[in-house]
Amino acid sequence: RVDSAVSAHLTKKFELGLFENPYVNEGDVLGVFDTPAQRSLARQIAAQSLVLLTNDGTLPLKKEVKTLAVLGPNADESRHLLGDYSYASMLEYMTSIAASGSPLYHVDQAALQPHCVPVPTILEALRQRTPKAKILYAPGCPVLKDDRSGFEEAVRLASQADVVVLVLGDRSGLLPDCSTGETRDSADLRLPGVQNELAQAILAVGKPTVIVLVNGRPLAISELVGKASAILEAWLPGEEGGSAIAAALFGDENPGGKLPITFPRHVGQLPLYYSQKPSGGKSYWYKDYVSVDSSPLFPFGHGLSYSRFDYSDLTVSKTECRADQVVDITVTIKNSSEVVGEEVVQLYTCDEFACLPRPVKELRGFIRLGLKPGQSRRVTFHLPVNMLAFCDQQMSLIVESGSIKVMVGASSADIRCESGFTITGPAKTPVAERIFHCPVNIE
């Protein structure tokens, strides 16, 4: 296998001519750097990665809004939209090492700084999108420091606004003033610094408040859920993140992303994940902890939309099948709203009775589906039975006969349709390898 992998790697290098010409022409770099096509792709990626965690109907904002307060430490910081290995982050890291007298780097920051690509902030993007609105801005507090001196100004501006956009989260990088990134681990999952206190002070004003999270890890923010009008998870969205966020807030982009991780209520719940064993994720036998519900704050696969999607007509092609066969699982998805949107349809299975405890759910396939208002599509997952293989007590990879529950839904906790099939044949069928790909067709 190693030889095969190396052979494929070297073959590709030969095809690209890298042995004959291993270096790029440095003079041509800027001609293929930060092009309009690349910016367009960055915008698309940022828009599709947004996850709408909560929404009481405040989003999308009305374009006729008169006064908008844009607050928070990440509202007007382009650097904070970038990850810890972005050019801007590494430039500041190398500069700090050079400043310390280390011979490792010699950095001419004045020469390198112009090569940082332009990154519009969220505040700048909102101003551009709503030129007629009066926009009030205050950072409120830093990302990480315990500085509350800006609270009063932020609260004052919030009280003057029709709607508040509060941008919180992290600064990603490798320096001590960063709150996420390599070497910047955290002992808890709270908002860094005094940001939670700022949020509580703003929410106490009573104005409709949309929280935008620009961050690099899941956050335990249960005290904000229910108080904020909406919460939009933006991650570290990159150079076009500001424009994508502004578009989503005003409905020109419809958030369709889903969580690839679980958000806990409290760090003490960890580890917390959707594919737990039947006895996992509980404080037996009462299920919940003494001080907190044992369920996640936001489950794996969660994400709302400005559209509504209905799931119906789930069919399974075989009621009985054997190892090495394929089961077709088909479901109808309909956009029952008046808004164009995208839904990530998710297929889960559960081996209900096995020789070893099996997860309560396992993601087997998913597809992102764009639908116009009123439009319906049939989605078919071609599930290989060998995808259900697992290692038994003897560490042999097997497919076991028995009943398999099939679940299709909008998240690991939002299952819309259920069915099942039975694996027949020997109690245990040895397989050479587990299949990891479930093809999907759309009609």
Side-chain angles (χ1 to χ4, degrees):
R1 291 190 179 189
V2 172
D3 287 345
S4 176
V6 172
S7 176
H9 191 76
L10 294 177
T11 298
K12 184 54 65 176
K13 284 192 170 186
F14 277 116
E15 291 173 353
L16 293 171
L18 296 181
F19 289 101
E20 293 78 15
N21 185 20
Y23 304 110
V24 299
N25 184 341
E26 294 181 2
D28 295 339
V29 169
L30 294 182
V32 294
F33 179 69
D34 198 36
T35 64
Q38 291 167 357
R39 298 294 298 209
S40 177
L41 179 59
R43 172 72 157 69
Q44 179 186 356
I45 292 171
Q48 290 191 331
S49 69
L50 300 176
V51 182
L52 185 59
L53 297 178
T54 68
N55 186 22
D56 66 0
T58 298
L59 290 182
L61 300 176
K62 293 180 173 59
K63 292 182 172 62
E64 299 79 20
V65 62
K66 294 182 178 179
T67 306
L68 183 67
V70 183
L71 311 173
N74 282 344
D76 195 31
E77 291 285 352
S78 59
R79 167 65 183 80
H80 296 190
L81 299 174
L82 308 176
D84 60 337
Y85 273 82
S86 62
Y87 183 90
S89 173
M90 294 310 299
L91 178 59
E92 71 184 17
Y93 179 62
M94 290 188 294
T95 302
S96 71
I97 294 177
S100 71
S102 169
L104 184 60
Y105 294 116
H106 172 71
V107 179
D108 184 348
Q109 188 168 12
L112 294 175
Q113 189 66 38
H115 298 300
C116 291
V117 302
V119 181
T121 69
I122 297 171
L123 176 63
E124 290 169 345
L126 286 170
R127 281 176 171 159
Q128 184 176 9
R129 188 162 289 275
T130 56
K132 296 182 179 180
K134 181 180 181 181
I135 295 186
L136 312 173
Y137 164 69
C141 68
V143 165
L144 199 53
K145 295 179 181 178
D146 294 340
D147 181 359
R148 300 170 178 80
S149 61
F151 279 25
E152 183 177 353
E153 174 69 1
V155 169
R156 184 181 70 82
L157 296 183
S159 66
Q160 298 175 9
D162 300 317
V163 181
V164 176
V165 174
L166 180 58
V167 191
L168 306 171
D170 286 315
R171 186 180 198 272
S172 179
L174 284 76
L175 297 181
D177 65 345
C178 297
S179 60
T180 191
E182 186 176 2
T183 78
R184 304 309 298 140
D185 299 329
S186 178
D188 61 57
L189 293 178
R190 295 175 296 180
L191 282 164
V194 293
Q195 291 185 65
N196 182 60
E197 294 179 42
L198 173 66
Q200 297 299 337
I202 298 301
L203 291 167
V205 174
K207 294 298 179 75
T209 300
V210 176
I211 293 177
V212 177
L213 298 175
V214 176
N215 55 298
R217 59 167 61 94
L219 295 171
I221 51 170
S222 56
E223 64 273 18
L224 303 182
V225 176
K227 294 182 180 179
S229 303
I231 301 177
L232 181 68
E233 174 58 76
W235 310 109
L236 302 170
E239 62 202 51
E240 285 293 324
S243 58
I245 291 167
L249 292 178
F250 280 94
D252 296 316
E253 292 282 355
N254 190 348
K258 303 282 187 171
L259 289 181
I261 49 179
T262 300
F263 273 46
R265 300 176 184 274
H266 190 278
V267 70
Q269 290 179 273
L270 302 185
L272 184 66
Y273 46 91
Y274 83 95
S275 55
Q276 66 198 29
K277 301 295 176 61
S279 60
K282 301 183 177 81
S283 175
Y284 265 116
W285 51 91
Y286 295 115
K287 184 179 180 295
D288 290 333
Y289 296 98
V290 172
S291 57
V292 68
D293 192 311
S294 64
S295 64
L297 181 62
F298 298 112
F300 175 87
H302 172 75
L304 305 178
S305 171
Y306 300 150
S307 306
R308 294 188 311 276
F309 299 98
D310 295 331
Y311 290 61
S312 63
D313 302 326
L314 178 65
T315 61
V316 178
S317 64
K318 297 181 176 72
T319 57
E320 295 185 350
C321 58
R322 300 171 66 91
D324 295 324
Q325 292 187 318
V326 173
V327 178
D328 293 340
I329 299 160
T330 304
V331 65
T332 298
I333 312 297
K334 179 180 180 180
N335 183 346
S336 57
S337 72
E338 297 179 356
V339 182
V340 175
E342 295 181 336
E343 173 71 328
V344 181
V345 185
Q346 302 163 45
L347 169 67
Y348 297 87
T349 66
C350 174
D351 189 340
E352 297 189 276
F353 304 100
C355 62
L356 292 175
R358 302 296 298 142
V360 295
K361 290 186 186 76
E362 291 181 275
L363 182 69
R364 300 303 184 182
F366 64 92
I367 189 166
R368 188 165 183 146
L369 186 65
L371 293 171
K372 298 176 182 179
Q375 184 181 14
S376 297
R377 302 291 295 273
R378 289 284 281 173
V379 175
T380 299
F381 296 92
H382 304 285
L383 176 68
V385 176
N386 280 9
M387 200 175 194
L388 310 181
F390 64 94
C391 291
D392 65 8
Q393 296 95 326
Q394 288 73 43
M395 295 304 295
S396 299
L397 188 62
I398 60 147
V399 170
E400 192 172 44
S401 61
S403 61
I404 303 297
K405 181 190 288 187
V406 171
M407 297 161 279
V408 179
S411 82
S412 61
D414 186 8
I415 300 301
R416 305 292 185 87
C417 303
E418 293 187 11
S419 187
F421 61 89
T422 300
I423 301 175
T424 59
K428 296 181 179 181
T429 301
V431 296
E433 59 183 356
R434 183 187 293 112
I435 296 176
F436 289 101
H437 178 57
C438 178
V440 189
N441 283 349
I442 303 173
E443 298 176 5

